[in-house]
């Protein structure tokens, strides 16, 4: 029924369906806002950050050079634009990701309109809204929120657009055919699977009987593109042929899991979700084969279904090739969040193929079919709600990691949040010197240059806050990692950075502010974001310091403190093992109250876990150990450690570190007694995320 003559109830339903889809999109956008960080992440350090100089000095080969097994030429256009025109802040790249997904949604809605031209009522509108929900599904959040991932979206969008343009060219003439050819060629500049676009387009042209000239031109373009792509190409270490010979069953299971990945997130993550993903992948392939037979017999009369089937074949080929290179890692790797973008598009294509039947079905079958689709939409929304969860702690960790790179500090514990090894310091040297990307943005800009620089004394109001810890940086003896909280005199004034000045006014440290601190939230917004973490040079230990809080507009306030002694233990990121721990259960004194475990109920061979967590985060207690200098034990905490402390005989009480993953505590500080001593680990916190646990050798 035409919307112009729709009843009030039908209009309300249409608006409700549109609102539902907009809510899913809005949650995805909110997730992108909450996940934004200007600090480059992972592959961006090697393939994004230096690209402006590579393009200027290396000519066109810089645009065509490999990134792993891919040639990401089109993504490099966006990299260049972000670095050249938007200061490398990264937000432009995130916007591009969302725009590309939005274009994909518009394209699928257009294809749906062509698939059911005679039916434009509420049911068709409902299918269009479901397509939008699928394409903005949060399971693909890595591709939405990571600025490096535009090529992952383009690698599916351009082949789909090319096949659709080729379909439209049957009636649209040579101009539309030329557009299809251009889109097919551009597909090769997305990712490695993009080279499959033109061969599939050639097959499609033959199936729809578009003539030898078009088919021949597409075949010639495919040959040229394949030659250009693989000329001087360096293949990856794992091939599909080798994988099929060595582990064919695992390759098949991986590919099925890949294709059904979205249902792992929609239904239930875990073992059940894995089985559901494989069953869904099998259903996708079986459905495609069901549509393929009548479409192949109809030829040009089934031109649109054939285009969609070729696209599904493209995604299936992508899954198979990915299985060849990744299946040795494990089946679960096929459930990577970034892999759900291509499969969501494949499922969207399948939904369009089913659309005529869904609109024509009647009776109980209609109620069943639309009931299942409605349930799917609700499950999508339930998962989509995760997008609004705060990622402030994760983004703050990345921010501090960026500061470590700016200050050239070999702090792998922090840098590991943005890159897997310390080679990032070498890769970022030239961009840092040129103040490019994050290095030219406040509050990172000038942090290194300011070290040792004198700052004029200023009459500033007093801050509220404290310098709470100073831990040695494993691998770099020049600095301590410091942290605490600092709030301005005004409730609305939250600092962005903290300069640590010695008695002479010289900058001897620098920290970033803005970490969530629920324990001082009573101070207002400035208190809630009062946490800071950064670095302090070893030189001023034991002397007076001034913490000067500032934002982009200048200093806000300052606070005089004493430089704390470093923590009496070293924190190392290691997985628990009985071989690395030296403290055993015999060291536990009688009367301890840590009779629980960690939140995750961890178990390790040859070890016992003691924790304050029994039934909830509100559980409290303490455990006392008798150890000696050099001893090691494993420790883990909840995401909040405001009331977690360790009291060391002969030293005093210091806060326990935040350790969302298990870490090794090595008691080797110079301030520790030479003789055996006691340590008391206490959890006095009753709030969210406040628990602690240790893992000791069983003996």
């Amino acid at each position: 029924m035409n919307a112009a003559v729709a009843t009030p109830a039908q209009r309300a339903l249409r608006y409700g369906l549109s609102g539902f889809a907009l809510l899913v999109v809005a949650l995805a956008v909110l997730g992108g806002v909450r996940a934004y960080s200007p600090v480059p992440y992972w592959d961006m350090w090697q393939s994004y950050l230096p690209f402006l100089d590579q393009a200027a000095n290396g000519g066109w080969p810089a645009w065509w050079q490999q990134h792993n097994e891919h040639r990401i030429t089109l993504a490099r256009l966006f990299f260049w634009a972000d670095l050249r025109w938007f200061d490398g802040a990264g937000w432009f790249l995130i916007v591009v990701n969302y725009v590309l997904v939005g274009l994909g949604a518009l394209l699928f809605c257009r294809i749906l309109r062509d698939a059911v031209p005679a039916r434009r009522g509420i049911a068709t509108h409902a299918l269009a809204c479901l397509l939008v929900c699928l394409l903005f599904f949060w399971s693909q959040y890595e591709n939405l929120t990571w600025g490096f991932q535009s090529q992952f979206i383009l690698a599916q969008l351009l082949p789909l657009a090319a096949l659709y343009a080729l379909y439209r060219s049957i009636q649209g003439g040579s101009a539309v055919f030329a557009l299809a050819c251009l889109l097919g060629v551009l597909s090769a500049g997305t990712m490695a699977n993009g080279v499959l676009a033109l061969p599939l387009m050639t097959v499609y042209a033959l199936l729809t009987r578009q003539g030898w000239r078009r088919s021949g031109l597409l075949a010639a373009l495919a040959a040229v593109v394949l030659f250009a792509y693989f000329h001087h190409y360096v293949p990856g270490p794992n091939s599909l042929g080798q994988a099929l010979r060595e582990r064919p069953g695992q390759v098949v299971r991986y590919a099925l899991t890949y294709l059904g990945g979205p249902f792992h997130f929609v239904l239930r993550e875990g073992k059940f979700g894995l089985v559901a993903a494989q069953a869904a992948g099998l259903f996708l392939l079986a459905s495609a084969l069901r549509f393929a037979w009548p479409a192949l017999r109809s030829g040009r009369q089934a031109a649109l279904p054939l285009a969609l089937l070729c696209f599904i074949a493209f995604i299936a080929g992508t899954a198979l090739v990915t299985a060849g290179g990744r299946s040795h890692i494990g089946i679960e790797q096929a459930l990577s969040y970034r892999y759900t973008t291509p499969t969501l598009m494949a499922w969207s294509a399948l939904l369009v193929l089913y659309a005529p039947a869904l609109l024509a079905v009647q009776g109980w079958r209609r109620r069943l079919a639309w009931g299942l689709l409605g349930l799917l939409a609700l499950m999508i929304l339930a998962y989509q709600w995760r997008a609004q969860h705060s990622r402030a702690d994760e983004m703050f960790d990345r921010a501090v990691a960026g500061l470590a790179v700016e200050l050239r500090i070999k702090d792998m514990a922090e840098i590991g949040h943005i890159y897997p090894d310390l080679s990032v310091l070498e890769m970022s040297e030239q961009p840092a010197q040129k103040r490019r990307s994050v290095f030219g943005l406040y509050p990172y800009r000038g942090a290194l240059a300011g070290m040792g620089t004198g700052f004029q004394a200023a009459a500033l109001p007093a801050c509220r806050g404290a310098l709470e810890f100073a831990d040695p940086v494993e691998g770099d003896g020049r600095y301590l990692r410091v942290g605490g909280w600092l709030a301005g005199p005004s409730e609305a004034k939250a600092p962005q950075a903290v300069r640590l000045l010695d008695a002479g006014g010289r900058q001897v440290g620098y920290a970033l502010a803005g970490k969530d601190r629920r324990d001082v939230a009573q101070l207002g917004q400035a208190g809630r974001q009062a946490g800071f973490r950064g670095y302090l040079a070893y030189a001023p230990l034991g002397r007076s310091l001034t913490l000067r809080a500032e934002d982009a507009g200048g200093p806000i306030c300052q606070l005089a403190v004493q430089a704390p002694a470093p923590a009496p233990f070293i924190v190392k990121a290691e997985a628990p093992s009985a071989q690395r721990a030296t403290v055993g259960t015999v060291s536990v004194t009688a009367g301890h109250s840590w009779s629980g475990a960690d939140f995750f109920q961890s178990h390790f061979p040859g070890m016992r876990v003691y924790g304050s967590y029994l039934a909830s985060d509100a559980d409290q207690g303490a455990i006392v150990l008798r150890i000696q200098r050099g001893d090691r034990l494993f420790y883990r905490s909840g995401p909040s450690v405001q009331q977690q402390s360790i009291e060391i005989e002969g030293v005093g009480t210091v806060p326990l570190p935040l350790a969302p993953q298990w870490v090794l505590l090595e008691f080797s500080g110079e301030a520790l007694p030479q003789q055996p001593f006691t340590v008391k680990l206490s959890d006095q916190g009753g709030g969210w995320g406040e628990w602690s646990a240790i893992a000791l050798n069983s003996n």
Side-chain angles (χ1 to χ4, degrees):
M1 178 177 290
N2 192 289
V5 295
T7 66
Q10 289 171 327
R11 286 197 297 270
L13 179 57
R14 182 182 291 269
Y15 292 147
L17 291 169
S18 299
F20 186 93
L22 286 174
L23 176 59
V24 170
V25 175
L27 286 170
V29 173
L30 177 61
V33 171
R34 294 200 161 186
Y36 168 71
S37 170
V39 180
Y41 181 69
W42 229 249
D43 289 347
M44 296 180 77
W45 290 100
Q46 64 195 63
S47 295
Y48 154 78
L49 195 57
F51 183 69
L52 200 61
D53 291 329
Q54 291 171 353
N57 302 323
W60 71 265
W63 296 84
W64 191 241
Q65 67 183 343
Q66 282 182 238
H67 168 73
N68 297 330
E69 64 268 36
H70 310 289
R71 299 190 188 275
I72 56 173
T73 303
L74 296 185
R76 287 180 173 129
L77 287 171
F78 300 128
F79 298 165
W80 185 90
D82 185 61
L83 292 164
R84 180 68 177 81
W85 295 327
F86 301 101
D87 300 321
W91 62 263
F92 168 75
L93 298 176
I94 306 300
V95 171
V96 166
N97 291 346
Y98 279 86
V99 169
L100 292 176
V101 173
L103 290 174
L106 289 174
L107 179 56
F108 266 113
C109 288
R110 175 66 195 188
I111 296 172
L112 175 65
R113 186 176 179 180
D114 288 355
V116 287
R119 299 180 176 91
R120 301 283 176 82
I122 294 296
T124 304
H125 186 70
L127 289 177
C129 291
L130 182 56
L131 285 171
V132 172
C133 294
L134 281 172
L135 293 164
F136 278 92
F137 187 38
W138 190 241
S139 67
Q140 60 182 328
Y141 78 89
E142 286 183 338
N143 293 334
L144 291 171
T145 63
W146 184 9
F148 192 73
Q149 292 300 87
S150 58
Q151 74 272 8
F152 219 102
I153 305 169
L154 282 168
Q156 334 306 327
L157 178 59
L158 288 185
L160 175 65
L163 285 164
Y164 180 65
L166 191 55
Y167 153 72
R168 293 300 299 266
S169 73
I170 296 175
Q171 284 85 31
S174 57
V176 182
F177 177 74
L179 175 61
C181 292
L182 176 61
L183 292 170
V185 172
L186 291 176
S187 296
T190 57
M191 295 179 68
N193 60 332
V195 299
L196 298 174
L198 281 167
L200 274 173
M201 292 169 67
T202 305
V203 172
Y204 176 76
L206 292 170
L207 293 174
T208 52
R209 303 179 182 91
Q210 296 195 33
W212 66 267
R213 290 183 179 176
R214 286 192 174 187
S215 301
L217 179 57
L218 287 168
L221 282 174
V224 171
V225 167
L226 285 169
F227 174 80
Y229 197 92
F230 291 106
H231 186 60
H232 296 311
Y233 182 81
V234 180
N238 302 295
S239 68
L240 175 59
Q242 179 184 358
L244 286 172
R245 289 192 301 271
E246 295 178 355
R247 47 185 186 279
Q250 190 166 351
V251 170
V252 171
R253 291 194 301 274
Y254 186 102
L256 290 176
T257 305
Y258 183 106
L259 291 172
F263 286 86
H264 166 76
F265 303 101
V266 166
L267 295 174
R268 181 182 177 185
E269 297 175 72
K271 185 174 292 187
F272 175 79
L274 178 62
V275 175
Q278 294 175 359
L282 189 61
F283 175 82
L284 175 67
L285 294 179
S287 296
L289 291 174
R290 172 190 174 277
F291 285 107
W293 177 245
L296 289 171
R297 295 181 62 186
S298 300
R300 179 175 287 201
Q301 286 69 38
L304 184 56
L306 282 171
L308 293 170
L309 288 167
C310 284
F311 179 70
I312 292 174
F314 172 80
I315 301 299
T318 299
L320 188 61
V321 173
T322 305
R326 300 285 191 272
S327 59
H328 67 283
I329 301 175
I331 301 298
E332 290 78 7
Q333 203 270 342
L335 297 169
S336 298
Y337 297 106
R338 65 185 183 276
Y339 289 167
T340 55
T341 293
T343 51
L344 286 168
M345 296 187 75
W347 282 96
S348 297
L350 186 66
L351 180 61
V352 175
L353 285 171
Y354 270 112
L358 287 169
L359 296 175
V361 71
Q362 297 297 326
W364 68 268
R365 292 183 179 86
R366 180 181 181 86
R367 292 190 294 273
L368 176 62
W370 286 96
L372 290 175
L373 290 177
L375 179 61
L376 174 63
L378 290 175
M379 289 192 292
I380 287 174
L381 179 62
Y383 188 89
Q384 199 79 358
W385 210 253
R386 301 186 184 193
Q388 57 87 33
H389 294 165
S390 174
R391 298 178 64 184
D393 287 343
E394 179 185 351
M395 295 305 107
F396 187 78
D397 288 341
R398 290 191 191 183
V400 177
L403 178 62
V405 176
E406 157 68 12
L407 295 176
R408 324 312 293 168
I409 299 174
K410 299 176 181 178
D411 185 0
M412 194 59 217
E414 296 289 358
I415 289 176
H417 292 115
I418 58 172
Y419 202 75
D421 57 58
L422 293 175
S423 64
V424 67
L425 295 174
E426 182 179 350
M427 286 187 285
S428 62
E429 207 166 311
Q430 190 172 13
Q433 291 173 356
K434 295 185 176 182
R435 293 290 162 226
R436 190 158 290 155
S437 184
V438 68
F439 304 112
L441 302 175
Y442 183 84
Y444 306 89
R445 183 181 63 246
L448 178 61
M451 295 298 292
T453 301
F455 285 79
Q456 187 174 4
L460 296 172
C463 296
R464 298 162 292 176
L467 180 61
E468 295 176 326
F469 68 85
D471 299 332
V473 176
E474 184 183 358
D476 197 328
R478 300 172 299 160
Y479 287 92
L480 295 172
R481 190 186 306 111
V482 297
W485 67 277
L486 210 60
S490 168
E491 289 188 4
K493 201 71 168 177
Q496 294 175 265
V498 178
R499 294 189 189 274
L500 291 86
L501 309 177
D502 66 9
R506 292 182 305 116
Q507 180 180 316
V508 291
Y510 195 84
L512 300 182
K515 181 174 174 57
D516 186 62
R517 287 293 297 260
R518 299 187 179 193
D519 56 324
V520 292
Q522 70 274 11
L523 300 179
Q525 185 63 24
R528 185 172 178 83
Q529 298 179 334
F532 71 85
R533 193 161 81 241
Y535 296 95
L536 170 68
Y538 248 119
L541 286 179
R543 305 176 189 174
S544 62
L545 292 173
T546 297
L547 306 182
R548 180 171 292 182
E550 63 176 43
D551 61 14
I556 298 173
C557 60
Q558 59 189 20
L559 178 68
V561 298
Q562 288 296 118
F569 47 78
I570 298 173
V571 181
K572 300 181 179 180
E574 291 188 28
S577 69
Q579 291 73 29
R580 289 290 289 150
T582 59
V583 181
T585 55
V586 295
S587 298
V588 179
T589 63
H592 69 87
S593 56
W594 275 20
S595 55
D598 62 325
F599 174 82
F600 304 95
Q601 301 295 313
S602 301
H603 295 279
F604 307 104
M607 306 191 77
R608 178 176 173 181
V609 174
Y610 295 87
S612 62
Y613 189 96
L614 288 168
S616 73
D617 296 346
D619 297 325
Q620 300 180 1
I623 187 170
V624 178
L625 311 171
R626 187 154 187 84
I627 63 174
Q628 59 187 6
R629 185 188 286 192
D631 270 344
R632 301 184 298 269
L633 58 87
F634 286 93
Y635 170 77
R636 190 175 192 178
S637 75
S640 179
V641 288
Q642 310 310 326
Q643 303 296 324
Q644 322 290 307
S645 63
I646 179 169
E647 181 182 347
I648 302 175
E649 182 183 2
V651 175
T653 302
V654 296
L656 278 166
L658 178 67
Q661 303 296 327
W662 286 99
V663 296
L664 184 70
L665 298 186
E666 181 179 306
F667 292 84
S668 55
E670 291 297 325
L672 293 173
Q674 295 290 341
Q675 303 300 319
F677 54 92
T678 60
V679 295
K680 179 181 180 181
L681 293 88
S682 299
D683 170 14
Q684 299 303 318
W688 173 84
E690 291 186 314
W691 54 264
S692 294
I694 57 175
L696 309 179
N697 287 340
S698 299
N699 51 24

